[in-house]
Amino acid sequence: MDYEHSFQTLPVSNTLSSSVLSFLNDKFRARADLAGAPALVSELRTRCSDLDRTLTDLNRSLGASLVAYASFSDRFDAVFDDLSAKLIRLRSSTCSPTSSFSDGGGEGNGKAEKILGEELPALAKEVARVETVRIYAETALKLDTLVGDIEDAVSSVMNKNLKKHSSTQNSDEMRLLAINTLKMTEEVLTSVTKTRPKWARLVSAVDHRVDRALAVLRPQAIADHRALLASLGWPPPLSTLTSSNPDRKSAEVPNPLFTMQGDLKHQYCENFLALCRLQELQSQRKSRQLEGFNRKVALRQPLWAIEELVNPISLASQLHFSKWVDKPEFIFALVYKITKDYVDSMDELLQPLVDEAMLVGYSCREEWISAMVSSLSTYLAKEIFPVYVGQLDEESATGIRSQARISWLHLVDLMISFDKRVRSLVEHSGILLSFQEDGNLQKISSLSVFCDRPDWLDLWAEIELSEALDKLKPEMDDERNWRMKVQGAVLSSVPEDFKSPAVSSAFLRHLSSMIDRCRSLPSISLRSRFLRLGGAPITRKFLDCILQRCQEAEGLTALTDDDAIIKVANSINAAHYFESVIKEWCEDVFFLEMELNQGDQLGLSVSEYGSREEPIKGSEGGIFDEEIGKLGEFRAQWVEKISVVILRGFDAQSRDYMKNRRQWQEKGEEGWTVSKSLVVALDYLQGKVLVVEESLNRIDFVRVWRSLAAGVDRLVFQNILMSNVKFYDGGVERFDSDLQVLFGVFGAWCLRPEGFFPKASEGLKLLKMGEKQLQDSLAGGEKWMKDNGIRHLSVTETEKIVRSRVFKS
């Protein structure tokens, strides 16, 4: 049979709907495809027959529902008739003459009490039940009618899209009718959910039918939207955008959203509105269904209409991306250019439509930017990062240093730079505040790839740490960096010269660089994990370095020479400066957020990131709390060691003076204000303290001399006052003179140095008291000591000193 006579000729193309044109263009791409026309016609007729059969079944179901409702209505009328009869009997019982109760006596009163106490409440309960049944029936009928209208409208939309001469306008009108009916249905369901929570089965049944309708309506609406975008010429050609000529301006690339006119523009706007209204309806349904749960997580979805703009551009861009795996800067440049070139049309053309659809909480500008960034992040995660990870694995397996680490760091640099430029696009609209939360920051950050792959974040932190330590090694080995002081090493919070060597500034510079790089990460938990893996080890390396230098100095000379003390003092200065800078950093909001966000840190349970991920050791508290504590311990330990070494030397130099018991029975040498045997020891003490003062920062130097003063006080007290020597008047004068010279050594650093020698000072005070006063002390005990200002000695020590005093008769 001749096909030209057996099949009708297609109508003029402008009479066909856009969806039909798209369907035919897809099926008949070439002349050879016409051979499949008979099979296609047969298939379409079969589908139409199935749809007609479905419509017949729906009509039959509707008829059965109406019959069932009529039967239910009859039973309902019978209930009301029975209720009316009961009310009449109640009225006749309660309106009988008063005399009948008085004549009947107790019997009448008992009947009235029974009516009021039993029958009337039961009747009221029955009335309420019947009223509830009536409301339920009316609500069920109303919902059944609305859902039936929805199903009819959806069926009509589907049928019109399959028919040859269907009008696009009619199809859009039916879709709008379906959406409006869905909205009314949702309002009824929301009211029922709030006022009648026990009707959950009715709501569930309606939701089931509505979900089936939406499962057909949404894909069809999106398909029509895609066909309409294709007819508009979207996506625009990317050939001009990827041109090698940097002087080409974005104005040369036509924007189809701005160039569309007339009916086409009206049709697009109506279609866009319908899609937004459908999404708002879906949001309302989810909000109702998730009442009592964490709705914020489930409700926030990308704007469907914007996604439909981004998806075809993303697919077209990936054809170019595949050529630039080794040149990722081209990928970022293209994505940013596309994002920037079309962002204004989102504000000017599409945002009013979103507002008209009352889609709350959505900005077309934000959605466009976040969708473009999301498509880039997806491509990076699927195509770029696996290649780089493979190169790093190959480098680890062969042990041969390659460009893999440099390529990785270069890619991260591009991502950080791209995110900053994207944020500037968002800031331009004045709506950056909505992106301050972690979840929103992830939407506009290409670094969000690390949110789903914390193992890649660990790898990045490892590479950054390795690079930093490689750069620090020559600076640590250069002895000049340990001798040269940090210029202007003064913090805003502590106006103090730390006398820190330049090497500490080098460590802080690299640590600061790592902190700045992680600021771009879109999640507090990611920043915390990155710094714990990459930043904290730099601090520990610094601590190991200065500890090694101190141990070397101690091992060579036991800190007995000045050079060793200066070397240790330099290390203490470096630790103090480093600790102070980190403490000041940790007061910044950036670190306080991480400390307060411990529950969200990526030192999380294995179940949250898979079996490969383990909690980070030391993830409790602040990022650098452990390191700050160790730096403080280091300073305290080596300050104490310096004090002990100097005190030990003083003890050795003053041993003859301490053991000379006879000197306290006679006056001092003629022309000397201090005992000759003490001069060398005091000279040694003063010389060492001056060396420490010159090389050590002021705060730690105070700790050194105070520790020395306390040690010397103990030596004098134990070796002289507690050694059972006898003090005559001349010996007391001699001891007083020696102590005044000793106090003078420390007088350069405090106003009342005797206050730092409490035991020696109070021992001297006792020795200088008169005989009568000392005799009273033996009887007075603690009360006498308190009255005479003796607070640092015990009763036993006081009695021993008193008994050592000898008065000539």
Side-chain angles (χ1 to χ4, degrees):
M1 184 179 293
D2 192 354
Y3 287 137
E4 295 181 0
H5 298 288
S6 58
F7 296 107
Q8 296 180 0
T9 305
L10 286 171
V12 181
S13 61
N14 58 12
T15 63
L16 298 175
S17 68
S18 58
S19 58
V20 172
L21 282 175
S22 177
F23 174 78
L24 293 175
N25 288 335
D26 184 58
K27 293 296 183 181
F28 302 104
R29 296 173 183 247
R31 184 176 295 274
D33 294 336
L34 292 174
L40 179 61
V41 170
S42 176
E43 179 186 352
L44 290 175
R45 284 177 175 170
T46 301
R47 290 170 63 183
C48 288
S49 176
D50 292 341
L51 289 171
D52 289 338
R53 193 180 303 108
T54 301
L55 182 60
T56 302
D57 292 340
L58 288 173
N59 288 331
R60 189 182 300 110
S61 176
L62 178 61
S65 298
L66 291 174
V67 171
Y69 176 74
S71 175
F72 178 77
S73 179
D74 292 339
R75 293 197 303 273
F76 201 64
D77 289 341
V79 171
F80 269 109
D81 291 341
D82 181 57
L83 179 61
S84 178
K86 289 183 178 180
L87 288 171
I88 293 172
R89 288 198 301 272
L90 177 62
R91 181 181 179 185
S92 62
S93 299
T94 56
C95 294
S96 58
T98 308
S99 58
S100 63
F101 288 100
S102 59
D103 294 340
E107 183 180 349
N109 289 335
K111 185 177 181 181
E113 289 177 0
K114 182 178 180 182
I115 291 172
L116 295 175
E118 299 178 9
E119 296 184 8
L120 194 58
L123 185 60
K125 186 176 181 180
E126 182 70 14
V127 170
R129 188 185 69 79
V130 171
E131 178 66 13
T132 302
V133 171
R134 182 186 66 80
I135 296 174
Y136 183 90
E138 290 179 352
T139 304
L141 180 60
K142 183 177 182 179
L143 287 171
D144 186 68
T145 303
L146 289 171
V147 174
D149 292 343
I150 293 170
E151 292 170 342
D152 289 344
V154 171
S155 178
S156 178
V157 169
M158 294 299 297
N159 287 334
K160 288 182 180 294
N161 276 297
L162 290 174
K163 291 182 179 178
K164 296 181 180 180
H165 300 285
S166 64
S167 169
T168 302
Q169 181 178 359
N170 290 337
S171 179
D172 291 342
E173 289 176 355
M174 294 306 298
R175 182 183 297 112
L176 182 61
L177 175 62
I179 293 173
N180 290 335
T181 310
L182 279 166
K183 187 175 180 61
M184 288 188 290
T185 304
E186 183 59 30
E187 290 173 354
V188 175
L189 290 176
T190 301
S191 175
V192 169
T193 302
K194 291 180 179 179
T195 59
R196 306 284 182 175
K198 292 185 178 180
W199 295 0
R201 295 181 65 182
L202 173 63
V203 174
S204 177
V206 175
D207 275 339
H208 179 67
R209 293 178 63 185
V210 171
D211 285 339
R212 286 192 303 179
L214 285 172
V216 176
L217 185 61
R218 179 189 170 188
Q220 184 59 46
I222 291 176
D224 291 346
H225 192 76
R226 289 174 181 172
L228 188 56
L229 283 174
S231 67
L232 288 174
W234 189 273
L238 300 182
S239 56
T240 53
L241 293 174
T242 57
S243 172
S244 59
N245 184 2
D247 297 328
R248 298 184 69 94
K249 297 182 179 179
S250 59
E252 298 177 13
V253 183
N255 185 345
L257 297 179
F258 279 145
T259 57
M260 60 182 178
Q261 300 291 333
D263 291 341
L264 196 58
K265 181 176 182 179
H266 175 75
Q267 188 178 352
Y268 175 78
C269 291
E270 289 298 320
N271 201 284
F272 187 95
L273 265 174
L275 211 54
C276 288
R277 286 169 177 158
L278 198 59
Q279 183 167 2
E280 172 62 14
L281 176 67
Q282 186 80 345
S283 177
Q284 291 177 0
R285 285 174 54 76
K286 288 294 182 184
S287 178
R288 171 178 56 80
Q289 293 170 350
L290 296 174
E291 186 73 37
F293 297 94
N294 188 4
R295 293 185 292 173
K296 184 178 179 181
V297 175
L299 291 181
R300 183 70 193 187
Q301 290 184 342
L303 202 58
W304 297 344
I306 299 297
E307 277 193 321
E308 295 307 317
L309 289 172
V310 171
N311 288 340
I313 281 191
S314 177
L315 292 174
S317 300
Q318 288 179 18
L319 298 176
H320 299 281
F321 293 169
S322 59
K323 308 171 188 175
W324 298 335
V325 174
D326 296 329
K327 297 283 186 179
E329 57 269 22
F330 293 163
I331 296 176
F332 288 96
L334 177 59
V335 174
Y336 178 76
K337 182 168 179 57
I338 295 173
T339 305
K340 185 174 182 293
D341 285 348
Y342 298 104
V343 72
D344 291 336
S345 60
M346 304 299 150
D347 278 340
E348 298 173 17
L349 179 64
L350 302 184
Q351 186 61 45
L353 298 177
V354 172
D355 296 339
E356 183 179 345
M358 294 186 291
L359 202 54
V360 181
Y362 283 93
S363 162
C364 286
R365 185 185 191 90
E366 293 180 7
E367 292 299 320
W368 166 256
I369 293 173
S370 64
M372 288 298 299
V373 172
S374 177
S375 67
L376 171 63
S377 299
T378 302
Y379 185 81
L380 292 175
K382 289 184 177 180
E383 304 296 337
I384 303 297
F385 270 99
V387 173
Y388 284 25
V389 171
Q391 293 174 356
L392 289 170
D393 291 341
E394 182 179 351
E395 179 183 292
S396 300
T398 59
I400 302 175
R401 195 70 179 264
S402 66
Q403 294 291 315
R405 290 173 176 264
I406 297 175
S407 300
W408 181 287
L409 294 177
H410 178 57
L411 176 61
V412 172
D413 288 338
L414 291 172
M415 296 169 74
I416 293 173
S417 175
F418 174 80
D419 287 352
K420 290 179 179 178
R421 298 174 74 190
V422 166
R423 279 180 73 97
S424 69
L425 285 181
V426 180
E427 289 173 355
H428 182 69
S429 65
I431 49 178
L432 183 62
L433 290 177
S434 63
F435 278 109
Q436 291 305 311
E437 298 178 2
D438 276 4
N440 289 331
L441 282 173
Q442 292 179 19
K443 294 167 53 181
I444 59 168
S445 174
S446 59
L447 292 168
S448 60
V449 295
F450 295 116
C451 294
D452 296 325
R453 292 301 302 265
D455 54 324
W456 290 351
L457 181 77
D458 297 353
L459 193 55
W460 175 26
E462 178 187 335
I463 294 172
E464 291 280 2
L465 176 61
S466 176
E467 291 293 313
L469 294 180
D470 289 345
K471 293 176 182 177
L472 280 169
K473 191 175 188 307
E475 299 194 56
M476 288 187 293
D477 296 339
D478 189 351
E479 196 63 30
R480 290 174 300 175
N481 288 329
W482 293 97
R483 292 193 298 269
M484 185 171 58
K485 303 300 181 184
V486 176
Q487 299 299 320
V490 178
L491 302 179
S492 60
S493 59
V494 184
E496 180 70 37
D497 182 7
F498 292 93
K499 300 180 181 180
S500 176
V503 70
S504 60
S505 181
F507 272 92
L508 287 169
R509 186 171 62 252
H510 286 284
L511 181 58
S512 176
S513 174
M514 189 168 292
I515 292 171
D516 288 340
R517 286 171 72 75
C518 85
R519 288 180 187 272
S520 299
L521 285 168
S523 165
I524 294 176
S525 55
L526 289 179
R527 297 171 215 147
S528 174
R529 185 180 186 91
F530 182 84
L531 286 180
R532 291 187 190 280
L533 294 173
I538 292 180
T539 307
R540 291 194 287 270
K541 179 65 177 178
F542 173 76
L543 182 59
D544 292 342
C545 182
I546 58 177
L547 179 61
Q548 181 182 357
R549 289 181 64 84
C550 289
Q551 289 173 340
E552 289 174 356
E554 184 183 32
L556 289 174
T557 63
L559 303 183
T560 55
D561 68 337
D562 292 348
D563 289 339
I565 290 178
I566 292 172
K567 191 172 185 178
V568 171
N570 269 338
S571 296
I572 294 173
N573 293 339
H576 194 180
Y577 177 56
F578 199 93
E579 177 188 350
S580 300
V581 172
I582 293 179
K583 279 184 177 179
E584 188 172 83
W585 287 352
C586 289
E587 293 174 358
D588 187 77
V589 174
F590 176 75
F591 285 94
L592 293 177
E593 285 180 337
M594 287 187 279
E595 188 172 351
L596 294 173
N597 196 51
Q598 291 182 27
D600 185 40
Q601 297 207 359
L602 282 185
L604 295 175
S605 63
V606 175
S607 61
E608 294 189 53
Y609 280 119
S611 58
R612 292 181 300 170
E613 296 303 319
E614 296 181 359
I616 300 175
K617 183 180 179 181
S619 61
E620 301 82 10
I623 301 298
F624 298 115
D625 281 1
E626 182 180 350
E627 288 72 24
I628 289 173
K630 288 183 177 179
L631 286 169
E633 292 173 3
F634 168 84
R635 288 171 50 218
Q637 176 186 356
W638 287 95
V639 162
E640 185 63 25
K641 284 192 176 185
I642 290 177
S643 302
V644 169
V645 167
I646 296 175
L647 187 62
R648 210 174 278 155
F650 176 79
D651 183 27
Q653 297 289 341
S654 64
R655 190 161 297 148
D656 292 341
Y657 171 77
M658 300 288 184
K659 290 184 176 181
N660 188 354
R661 302 165 65 89
R662 293 186 60 185
Q663 64 183 332
W664 311 118
Q665 301 175 15
E666 54 193 27
K667 290 185 178 182
E669 296 89 342
E670 188 73 26
W672 289 80
T673 58
V674 63
S675 300
K676 291 181 180 180
S677 57
L678 183 61
V679 171
V680 176
L682 291 176
D683 183 63
Y684 168 85
L685 179 64
Q686 188 173 33
K688 288 294 183 182
V689 173
L690 288 175
V691 170
V692 175
E693 182 184 21
E694 183 66 25
S695 57
L696 193 62
N697 68 85
R698 190 176 66 86
I699 295 175
D700 287 314
F701 172 68
V702 170
R703 297 170 66 183
V704 169
W705 75 254
R706 287 186 176 183
S707 177
L708 275 175
V712 172
D713 183 48
R714 288 193 301 272
L715 282 176
V716 171
F717 183 75
Q718 293 293 337
N719 294 335
I720 297 177
L721 294 175
M722 292 287 106
S723 62
N724 296 318
V725 300
K726 298 300 180 180
F727 283 92
Y728 289 75
D729 292 342
V732 172
E733 291 178 8
R734 185 187 189 111
F735 185 61
D736 186 12
S737 299
D738 291 346
L739 284 186
Q740 295 307 318
V741 176
L742 176 62
F743 294 161
V745 173
F746 292 88
W749 308 299
C750 59
L751 294 176
R752 293 182 64 256
E754 61 272 15
F756 295 94
F757 297 82
K759 287 183 175 289
S761 297
E762 291 183 359
L764 177 62
K765 185 176 182 179
L766 287 171
L767 292 174
K768 292 170 71 175
M769 288 182 181
E771 185 175 4
K772 177 70 170 63
Q773 195 175 5
L774 290 180
Q775 289 176 354
D776 294 340
S777 70
L778 297 175
E782 290 185 2
K783 184 178 185 306
W784 181 91
M785 293 171 59
K786 184 176 181 181
D787 293 340
N788 287 272
I790 308 298
R791 294 181 175 85
H792 296 89
L793 301 179
S794 66
V795 174
T796 304
E797 291 170 340
T798 301
E799 291 178 352
K800 193 169 186 179
I801 293 173
V802 169
R803 290 192 173 94
S804 69
R805 183 70 168 95
V806 177
F807 293 94
K808 290 184 179 180
S809 57

